[in-house]
Amino acid sequence: MLYPIDIEQKIGFDKIRLLIKQNCLSDLAKEEIDALSFSSNFDAIVAQLTLVDEMVQLLLDQEESLPLHSAADLREAFLKTRIEGTFLEVTELVSIRQNVLMVQGVTAFLLKRDKARFANLKQLAAPVQNFPEVLKRIDSIVNKYGEIKDNASAELGRIRRDMVKSQSSISRTLHTILRQAQADGLVEKDTAPTMRDGRLVIPIPAMNKRRIGGIIHDESATGKTAFVEPSSVVELNNQLRELENEERREIIHILTDATNFLRPFYPNLLDSTLFLAKIDALQAKAKWSIQIKAIKPHLKNAPHVDWFDARHPLLQLSLEKQHKSIVPLSIKLTQEQRILLISGPNAGGKSVCLKTVGLLQYMLQCGLPIAINERSEAGIFEHIFIDIGDEQSIENDLSTYSSHLLNMKNCIRHSNAKSLLLIDEFGTGTEPQIGGAIAEAVLEKFNTNRTYGVITTHYTNLKHFASNTEGIVNGAMLYDRHEMRPLFQLQIGNPGSSFAVEIARKIGIPEDIILSASQKVGSEHIDYDKNLQDAARDKRYWENKRQQIREKEKRIDFLVQKYEQEMSDLKSKQKELIRAAKAEATELLNQTNAKIEQTIRVIKESEAAKDTTKQARAELNRLKTSLVEAKTKPTITQAADTIKMGDHVTIKGQTMIGQLIELNKDIAIVTFGNIKSTVPLNKLSRISHNQLKQTQRASVGKSTTEAVRERQLNFKSEIDVRGMRVDEALQAVMYFVDDAQMLSIGKVRILHGTGTGALRQAIRDYLNGSSAVATYRDEHVQFGGAGITVIELK
């Protein structure tokens, strides 16, 4: 059930329908959009959403365009020719031909798409017929210009040949008469035959019209020219007219035969035409979805609303034209929190929030994607009830409040656990105390019925009731108390303040009146309103803190992954070095064993002669020495030969450049910046003068860029100096402001607290003398007031 009957106008769906129709190519597709209706059938909704979603993907692929144009509406033509003896006009045959060709193109296009991605579109196109015999029959009688062919029948061919002969004879005779009349001076030299009433005639000056025998068919508007058909061509023209009549009769005969052939195909041809209309309508919906960045959400077959970044499509388009951004809403209705009671200042966005929920839910259940975040989940409602706007009716003798009560009666009578209620300014229109009491009783009834809903109000008793009742949750539209402007942000969990006093003060109501009003309402009410504002401010503060913690956790996770990867790389390199060392040791051992075996063989062969044995041992000693030198000596010697005091060097495997300041045999002392390091000489590599310049230029650019990126990644636009001593806090603030200026940050905040005010004053004394600071001010009370200083940087 939908209530009231003009629900589409109430929520703005009628405008959505018009915007979608602008994307349609044919009137048939527009009829499809007009036929869109609210449904609670889960499978039908999913099927429609899936088709639109596949069409969106098809349009975004842009590999090949869908061969779709405006399809002709053939229903009237088929209806008037359903009886034997009637016939289709040539233009109607051309329309049938164009539709059939379009059906063939569209079905072929869809059927060759990827089955995994476009299964439903392929399923929609699969049963559609292509009508090759229909196309063949029409092509046999109609040419590409939409005219009946000469060879459509033998008789038509004969008639048209005779017509050509007759026309040629008339033309020759007429030109002969015209030349003679020109020679006699009866007509101008440039006069040429023309047509009047389908007959060739000669334009003659009115004063000479009797000098050429024939029939006068017409005169010019001025009466100065007469159009005469000479007597000698009258009979020829009569023959031509008879041939034209014969041609028309033969064409009717051809069209009648063609219509008789096509008549059995009418139902299937109509189905194929409606298929084109469906594809056209799907394309229009998809283009609309792309325009508003709508998606097919995760659906549940039950009442459910868990939306992130929901956007009212009409408001979104309006703001985009003004080069502004819409503030999205996140809203949640579950079995535990079925009714959301929204409060807040006037013009703060309560009604927009209400209409956003109503419009998006209605669009969804009409099979249209909606403008929400991909993380969102949506459900299905069987009934939607709306009470928005002033329903005052003079004709029905209904006041504003009476109309609201009538709406409440219908909602109470028909709503259940599968209903969605959307009520604006709940309980208004009568004396506040009794109106608030009735509204609270009605709200209790809705909750008992386990109805879902979004309700806006200013009544304090309803806010208290929602805070203490399971199934109902408060929500607030946030308001910038310092700048006195609405933020259009929905915050669920706490009731909102109406900011009546603040708004009255901003408008310019005298202060004594505001003070008098505050005294009349009582401090308890004023304190309650202030507590609501403070609660909203504190909640926002801690949400910001929570967001900062999340960002830091992401940063820590990134660093942990980075270090784990580096450790893994180091372990891999270590294993590779050990493997290479073992391979080298094995090779040395093999060489040594081979040399020992050779020495033993030499000693045996020389029968242990003293000189030969001594020589063999000398060979072994030389081998031992060469093996040791192979590990140490060459590197040391090479390093000693190439590196000297004052040289610029790097440690092998690293990029940092230092300078050799002291050398003690195989040990070098190198300075890296302000740090001295003792390094084995064989681990150093000399850097030439050119290499030093290139490395310095590269490293300066790289290190600067990396440093800026690192600071941008870690920089927070707020610093907390509470608990610090004044000197510590000032130093932290100076570094903080310098970093913000270097990174081109426009606005930052310093959280220093109130306390005695000494720390706040010291910081502001510094800010007064800082050239980087344009202005500074207290944060508005809702978000910290005098305990936070907001700085605008130059």
Side-chain angles (χ1 to χ4, degrees):
M1 178 179 179
L2 298 173
Y3 181 86
I5 57 174
D6 61 344
I7 186 172
E8 291 194 359
Q9 288 74 29
K10 290 282 188 183
I11 60 178
F13 186 76
D14 56 331
K15 297 176 182 177
I16 300 293
R17 203 188 290 272
L18 288 174
L19 289 171
I20 296 176
K21 286 167 66 174
Q22 291 177 4
N23 295 322
C24 294
L25 300 173
S26 66
D27 291 337
L28 285 171
K30 292 178 181 178
E31 290 181 15
E32 287 280 327
I33 301 303
D34 284 334
L36 282 176
S37 61
F38 180 87
S39 171
S40 57
N41 185 314
F42 179 77
D43 293 334
I45 294 170
V46 171
Q48 283 300 311
L49 286 171
T50 304
L51 282 171
V52 179
D53 187 55
E54 290 183 7
M55 183 60 75
V56 168
Q57 300 306 317
L58 196 65
L59 296 179
L60 292 177
D61 277 354
Q62 295 182 340
E63 295 177 358
E64 186 179 354
S65 298
L66 183 66
L68 182 68
H69 309 286
S70 178
D73 186 356
L74 302 174
R75 290 174 297 183
E76 185 177 348
F78 289 167
L79 182 63
K80 74 177 184 180
T81 59
R82 68 186 187 280
I83 301 172
E84 289 286 340
T86 56
F87 60 90
L88 294 164
E89 297 291 344
V90 178
T91 55
E92 293 167 341
L93 287 178
V94 172
S95 295
I96 293 173
R97 180 179 183 276
Q98 290 174 342
N99 278 11
V100 170
L101 287 172
M102 201 186 310
V103 166
Q104 291 179 351
V106 170
T107 53
F109 178 87
L110 294 177
L111 291 175
K112 70 180 182 180
R113 299 299 107 187
D114 180 29
K115 185 175 182 180
R117 297 179 60 201
F118 306 105
N120 292 274
L121 284 175
K122 290 169 72 73
Q123 185 178 357
L124 185 65
V128 179
Q129 298 183 32
N130 286 330
F131 309 104
E133 59 272 59
V134 169
L135 202 59
K136 182 178 179 182
R137 182 58 183 265
I138 294 175
D139 284 343
S140 69
I141 61 175
V142 179
N143 63 20
K144 63 182 180 179
Y145 304 109
E147 301 169 345
I148 298 294
K149 292 181 176 180
D150 293 347
N151 60 356
S153 72
E155 180 64 13
L156 182 63
R158 181 195 65 77
I159 292 171
R160 287 185 172 174
R161 287 193 297 273
D162 290 347
M163 289 175 65
V164 170
K165 292 178 183 178
S166 179
Q167 288 169 347
S168 298
S169 178
I170 292 171
S171 180
R172 287 195 301 271
T173 302
L174 205 61
H175 277 86
T176 300
I177 295 171
L178 181 61
R179 283 194 296 272
Q180 184 61 47
Q182 289 171 339
D184 295 341
L186 300 179
V187 297
E188 298 293 333
K189 294 294 183 182
D190 58 349
T191 300
T194 186
M195 295 291 293
R196 279 294 185 275
D197 297 329
R199 303 173 79 91
L200 276 171
V201 295
I202 298 174
I204 299 176
M207 59 184 179
N208 297 327
K209 62 184 178 181
R210 301 296 180 188
R211 299 184 63 180
I212 296 180
I215 301 171
I216 300 173
H217 284 276
D218 196 7
E219 288 185 349
S220 66
T222 60
K224 294 182 179 180
T225 303
F227 298 93
V228 178
E229 180 184 12
S231 302
S232 55
V233 298
V234 170
E235 183 60 27
L236 293 175
N237 270 328
N238 289 340
Q239 293 175 4
L240 180 61
R241 184 62 61 87
E242 289 178 4
L243 287 172
E244 289 174 348
N245 292 334
E246 287 183 29
E247 179 191 35
R248 177 61 185 162
R249 288 192 295 272
E250 181 59 22
I251 288 176
I252 291 174
H253 176 71
I254 293 169
L255 293 176
T256 302
D257 285 347
T259 303
N260 292 336
F261 175 82
L262 294 175
R263 195 172 285 113
F265 294 96
Y266 278 6
N268 291 334
L269 283 170
L270 190 57
D271 288 343
S272 68
T273 301
L274 295 179
F275 162 76
L276 292 176
K278 288 182 185 297
I279 296 298
D280 190 355
L282 280 175
Q283 181 175 256
K285 295 176 190 177
K287 288 180 177 179
W288 162 255
S289 300
I290 293 171
Q291 184 182 3
I292 64 170
K293 301 177 180 64
I295 64 161
K296 172 192 171 187
H298 302 290
L299 274 180
K300 290 186 175 182
N301 191 10
H304 185 75
V305 174
D306 189 6
W307 298 347
F308 295 92
D309 299 335
R311 307 177 302 281
H312 192 294
L314 298 177
L315 180 60
Q316 177 181 337
L317 294 178
S318 175
L319 291 174
E320 284 177 355
K321 290 179 181 179
Q322 303 172 44
H323 305 288
K324 297 179 181 178
S325 298
I326 190 170
V327 179
L329 299 169
S330 294
I331 187 168
K332 188 172 186 177
L333 300 179
T334 64
Q335 290 185 354
E336 295 74 25
Q337 295 181 348
R338 296 179 304 279
I339 299 177
L340 173 62
L341 188 72
I342 303 176
S343 49
N346 288 320
K350 298 190 301 296
S351 297
V352 172
C353 178
L354 201 72
K355 291 182 178 180
T356 300
V357 174
L359 178 58
L360 294 186
Q361 188 65 41
Y362 195 91
M363 287 175 59
L364 180 70
Q365 294 193 227
C366 287
L368 295 173
I370 56 177
I372 56 178
N373 189 280
E374 293 179 350
R375 297 181 296 145
S376 304
E377 292 182 346
I380 305 299
F381 294 91
E382 290 187 359
H383 317 286
I384 297 182
F385 300 90
I386 289 182
D387 181 21
I388 299 175
D390 186 357
E391 297 294 336
Q392 184 175 14
S393 173
I394 297 175
E395 294 82 359
N396 296 327
D397 194 24
L398 285 176
S399 67
T400 299
Y401 187 63
S402 298
S403 67
H404 285 310
L405 288 180
L406 180 61
N407 291 338
M408 291 305 101
K409 183 189 75 171
N410 286 305
C411 292
I412 293 169
R413 178 180 297 174
H414 300 291
S415 64
N416 56 30
K418 295 183 179 180
S419 301
L420 177 64
L421 298 172
L422 301 170
I423 304 174
D424 196 21
E425 300 293 350
F426 193 33
T428 58
T430 189
E431 192 272 319
Q433 189 170 358
I434 188 62
I438 293 175
E440 184 175 332
V442 172
L443 182 58
E444 185 177 12
K445 181 62 176 176
F446 289 151
N447 192 40
T448 303
N449 291 345
R450 303 191 67 79
T451 304
Y452 291 74
V454 179
I455 299 173
T456 69
T457 188
H458 288 284
Y459 285 162
T460 302
N461 67 306
L462 295 183
K463 301 176 189 178
H464 285 305
F465 181 74
S467 299
N468 300 319
T469 305
E470 185 177 350
I472 308 176
V473 62
N474 274 303
M477 299 305 299
L478 297 182
Y479 193 81
D480 189 325
R481 186 175 177 181
H482 183 69
E483 298 183 6
M484 296 303 295
R485 64 179 180 85
L487 299 177
F488 303 111
Q489 296 176 2
L490 173 62
Q491 187 178 78
I492 296 176
N494 291 315
S497 168
S498 296
F499 290 92
V501 172
E502 289 79 0
I503 293 174
R505 184 173 285 118
K506 178 187 177 183
I507 290 174
I509 300 296
E511 192 63 32
D512 59 330
I513 295 178
I514 294 174
L515 180 61
S516 176
S518 301
Q519 291 172 348
K520 290 178 184 297
V521 78
S523 60
E524 182 179 348
H525 184 85
I526 296 294
D527 290 343
Y528 175 75
D529 207 41
K530 184 177 182 301
N531 289 334
L532 288 180
Q533 298 169 18
D534 292 342
R537 179 201 65 203
D538 293 343
K539 184 172 182 180
R540 186 173 181 183
Y541 172 78
W542 290 113
E543 283 180 349
N544 289 336
K545 281 292 184 184
R546 189 160 51 244
Q547 182 62 30
Q548 292 172 11
I549 292 171
R550 291 195 193 103
E551 292 175 358
K552 289 180 179 178
E553 287 177 346
K554 289 180 182 178
R555 174 65 178 168
I556 291 171
D557 290 341
F558 168 75
L559 292 175
V560 168
Q561 292 177 1
K562 177 182 176 182
Y563 293 146
E564 286 178 348
Q565 182 62 43
E566 290 178 353
M567 287 296 295
S568 177
D569 293 343
L570 286 173
K571 288 180 180 179
S572 299
K573 290 179 180 178
Q574 184 181 31
K575 290 179 181 179
E576 180 63 25
L577 289 172
I578 293 173
R579 187 196 62 77
K582 287 182 178 179
E584 186 178 357
T586 302
E587 179 64 25
L588 289 172
L589 185 59
N590 292 336
Q591 292 178 9
T592 303
N593 289 336
K595 191 64 177 178
I596 291 171
E597 290 174 359
Q598 181 183 0
T599 303
I600 293 172
R601 187 169 58 254
V602 170
I603 292 172
K604 287 181 177 180
E605 290 175 355
S606 62
E607 296 180 355
K610 189 174 182 179
D611 293 339
T612 305
T613 303
K614 186 175 180 181
Q615 185 178 357
R617 286 177 177 171
E619 283 292 327
L620 281 174
N621 289 332
R622 281 196 295 273
L623 174 61
K624 179 180 179 181
T625 302
S626 65
L627 289 175
V628 172
E629 289 177 351
K631 293 295 290 178
T632 59
K633 185 68 175 178
T635 304
I636 296 171
T637 303
Q638 183 181 10
D641 290 341
T642 57
I643 299 176
K644 59 184 182 298
M645 296 286 290
D647 283 348
H648 288 89
V649 295
T650 61
I651 298 175
K652 292 178 180 178
Q654 299 184 20
T655 58
M656 185 176 292
I657 298 176
Q659 187 173 20
L660 184 62
I661 61 171
E662 188 176 334
L663 184 61
N664 185 11
K665 295 184 179 180
D666 299 335
I667 301 299
I669 297 177
V670 183
T671 58
F672 296 97
N674 295 326
I675 300 174
K676 291 183 181 180
S677 181
T678 302
V679 185
L681 188 62
N682 62 345
K683 291 187 177 181
L684 297 177
S685 296
R686 181 177 177 275
I687 298 296
S688 68
H689 184 68
N690 290 335
Q691 288 176 320
L692 177 63
K693 285 186 176 181
Q694 293 174 2
T695 305
Q696 286 176 339
R697 283 197 296 268
S699 63
V700 167
K702 182 178 179 182
S703 61
T704 302
T705 303
E706 289 180 349
V708 171
R709 287 178 180 171
E710 185 72 18
R711 288 193 178 186
Q712 286 176 336
L713 182 62
N714 293 323
F715 186 81
K716 306 300 179 187
S717 60
E718 180 177 290
I719 183 173
D720 188 347
V721 296
R722 291 177 298 179
M724 295 184 185
R725 295 195 305 272
V726 171
D727 55 344
E728 293 175 341
L730 285 177
Q731 186 175 19
V733 167
M734 283 189 283
Y735 289 144
F736 176 67
V737 171
D738 288 345
D739 285 349
Q741 187 181 30
M742 183 184 72
L743 298 174
S744 301
I745 306 297
K747 183 168 73 173
V748 294
R749 295 173 12 129
I750 301 174
L751 178 57
H752 43 64
T754 52
T756 62
L759 181 57
R760 174 177 177 271
Q761 187 58 45
I763 290 173
R764 296 202 166 191
D765 289 342
Y766 160 71
L767 296 177
N768 282 329
S770 174
S771 60
V773 176
T775 62
Y776 63 84
R777 66 179 186 277
D778 284 345
E779 179 62 279
H780 52 80
V781 176
Q782 185 178 355
F783 304 123
I788 298 176
T789 296
V790 180
I791 303 173
E792 301 283 348
L793 296 172
K794 294 180 180 178

